[in-house]
Amino acid sequence: MFSTGFKYFLGVTVVSIAALIMSLFVLDQLAIAGVAISMLITVTALLAGIATATHDGQTTTSTPDSSGELATQSIWPLVSGVGVVLLALGLVTSSIVFFAGLIVLLGALVEWMVQSWSERASKDTNYNALARKRLLNPIEFPILAALGLGVVIYSFSRIMLTVNKTTGASLFIIFGALVLVGGVLFAIKPNMKRSIGVAICVLGALGIVAGGVASAVSGEREELVEAAAEGHFTHAECGPEASKYFDKLAEGTLSLRSSVSAIVVYQDGELIANIQGLVKPQKTLTIGRSIPTNIVFRNATEGEFRLVAHLGDKVADESTDGETHKNETCTQLVAPGAEQSLTLKISKPSSAKNAYYLYIAGAEDKKIELVVP
Amino acid sequence: MSRRQFDNWLRATIASVRVVLRKVFKPLVVVAGVSVVVAGCATNAPQDTWQPKGPNSKLIDDLQQPVFAVAGIIGLIVAVAVIYTMIKYRDRGQPIPEQIHGKPALEITLTVIPALILAVVSVFTFGAIFKLAKTDDTQMIINVTGQQWWWEYDYPAQNEFGITQPIITSGQLVMPVGTKVLLRETSRDVIHSYWIPALNGKRDAVPGRVHTLRLEADKPGIYAGQCTEFCGLSHANMRMEAVALSKEDFAKWVANQQAPYVAPAKETLAQQGEEVFLNQCVRCHQVNGLMRADGTPAIAAPDENVWSGAAPNLSHLMSRNTFAGAMFDLLSKQCRDEVWNAPSEVVGAKYLAGVTEECLNQKDLRAWLRNAPEVKPMYANPADLAVSNGKYRGMPYLALSEDDITKLVAYLITLK
Ligand SMILES: [Cu+2]
């Protein structure tokens, strides 16, 4: 009659249908979750069908040989149960939990199926275990390794965010040295006991994870917390710098520098533009309308400065709360001797009344006129 | 079909094909060869790369002529050797000659000789490349911006040339002769490439980058070119000209470009045209100095209507003699020939005359205003604009009445 497998899959199908109906009411946006659950329903219904049709994969109709060993204890029913719970929980909480449940459930189902299949493969338990390993180890090992590595790497990153910069550098040096020493040891003593190597690695990993947990608990280092609180990662304001923390060498735009429209240099208390093709430094820069134009700002002074592009005033209307605002964009603070690029795209022409210019924040008289014809 | 039958059939087929080839092929080759050679003698070939008209293109020419000669001689030697061997040693049933395996001395010689030739060529090539990349001897700068499917030129203020306020034009690049002009090229949408064969090689115009290209013309004249980087539907219609004027003529051109706007006289057709222009055209096209009825300046907003964010500035439309990416003439055929075929002493004066009422090519201009996408392929179907946020690539169909078109033409002709 109804096989065990059939009953199980039928159960899951029914539960997922219930979940789908529930999610119809709970979620505003059903799109992804809906598709996922519908697929789950399809898959489990199919599996239920296959399970009855094949009598749970039993090839002979004879009752199992009672002298054969009993099926081993399996944790997979439990794990798949957890998966289903996570799935349901995910529907009402967050999609991450939902997808975690989905992954756990599918993984458990695969493991379970292969296990129960392998237990009936022959009467020899050892052979059966081997068959299971053959099939699943190539999948299990990489996944487990990736998970393990992920945990270690994440823990390490927590540590690095907590310790101060110099300790961070020293830690890197120590870790590197340890890896080197370990490698040398393995190289000169190739037939060292395997268990010793494993023990070292496991201990090292555990140490890092423990350090990671401790760091996560104690929180990120002061300056990062402060920087995030000041919101200076977003750089909404172009005025004089209020914060003392900034990316001092934000020159990560090397490719821009090979053919920029102009290099604007702040030097000896003067702001000048070096325009490709013009030998003499300029005080005016002409850029076309609606053309993305790259400008590099080079700070050749001893102080820290940022370049601001003043692109007219925003007229008073609802979007500006009835006030006129300056329409400005700027670079980050640039350290002495460093450079940064600024991309402008201006769609309205400049005029005497609506003049555009580049200037140094905090030294408004250091200007370069921007002409947009 | 048995194997034997098939072999017989194949043999018969090959034999008949041979007969046909012998009869047809030889004359065909002769005709093709002759026409290729004859085509090389075309006199009306404005984009001929072998006729340099300025120092930069001459530099390229001085390099390519000898290299071409050397390559031609080598090619000839190889071809003759191959053909000689093919005929002399063709299969006549003679026994296969002794098979040898290489002759190191010969092989090394035959590797070293081309290597040497290439080394010599590369020395001169690098020299030319560096000379063509020079920018520190520039006398005049012109910003060149490509967009689908026309070129815009803007001249930053340069007092030495009387350019006191920026000049914007399109299609025809006007420059003084004997002046080291540096183009600073970029693009507003996709990659284009600027090429005036008579004056220099090609240079890509890439969005977000500025590439320079030297131009210098020895004599006044109109030098044709075209975009040479595939850039979409109307790439083939994205043409341009460089117009070289004597220094005096160039100064006159500059003065005219900077002349203030002259509104059409009251109660004329042109004035009605200005009204239509304000209603229909000014959302894309800028005419410097044009005022709205309420006395505010009419500022075009091509960024809201056109994908590239630009449309040609029409302030002095009639000072150029082609339009729409130099695809159409603004001058009637006869007037055009008079300017374009003029000897270089007078070409400047003729060019500066601009487009007069008698010379205007009414037909093409009217067709353009009637339905631009019909005469120049552009992505301007309102139904297909979802991918470009409702913005046109090119000029759309505006459903103007013939009446409005007449008024517009009367107005445009005043934009000298
Ligand atoms: Cu193009």
Side-chain angles (χ1 to χ4, degrees), chain A residues 258-259 261 277 289-290 294 347, chain B residues 138 184 188 208-210 286 300 309:
Chain A
S258 58
S259 63
S261 201
R289 271 208 235 181
S290 300
N294 297 314
S347 57
Chain B
T138 302
R184 304 174 75 243
R188 286 190 170 100
R209 300 178 69 91
V210 178
Q286 183 77 44

Side-chain angles (χ1 to χ4, degrees), chain B residues 192 227 229 231 235 238:
Chain B
H192 303 273
C227 175
E229 180 65 64
C231 58
H235 166 62
M238 184 166 169

Side-chain angles (χ1 to χ4, degrees), chain B residues 147 149 151 190-193 227-231 235 238:
Chain B
Q147 53 265 293
W149 289 276
W151 294 96
V190 299
I191 303 180
H192 303 273
S193 182
C227 175
T228 62
E229 180 65 64
F230 180 70
C231 58
H235 166 62
M238 184 166 169

Side-chain angles (χ1 to χ4, degrees), chain A residues 47-72:
Chain A
L47 287 174
I50 294 174
T52 37
T54 61
H55 302 279
D56 285 2
Q58 246 168 297
T59 43
T60 52
T61 42
S62 65
T63 47
D65 193 337
S66 57
S67 68
E69 287 181 48
L70 280 173
T72 41

Side-chain angles (χ1 to χ4, degrees), chain A residues 255 258-262 275-279 286 288-292 294 347-349 371 373, chain B residues 135-136 138 141 143 145 156 166 168 182 184 186 188 208-210 286 299-303 309:
Chain A
S255 65
S258 58
S259 63
V260 293
S261 201
I275 299 174
Q276 202 177 9
L278 291 180
V279 186
T286 305
R289 271 208 235 181
S290 300
I291 303 174
N294 297 314
S347 57
K348 291 279 172 281
V371 177
Chain B
T135 58
D136 57 6
T138 302
I141 277 194
N143 294 326
T145 311
I168 298 198
L182 190 75
R184 304 174 75 243
T186 186
R188 286 190 170 100
R209 300 178 69 91
V210 178
Q286 183 77 44
I299 304 286
D303 50 303

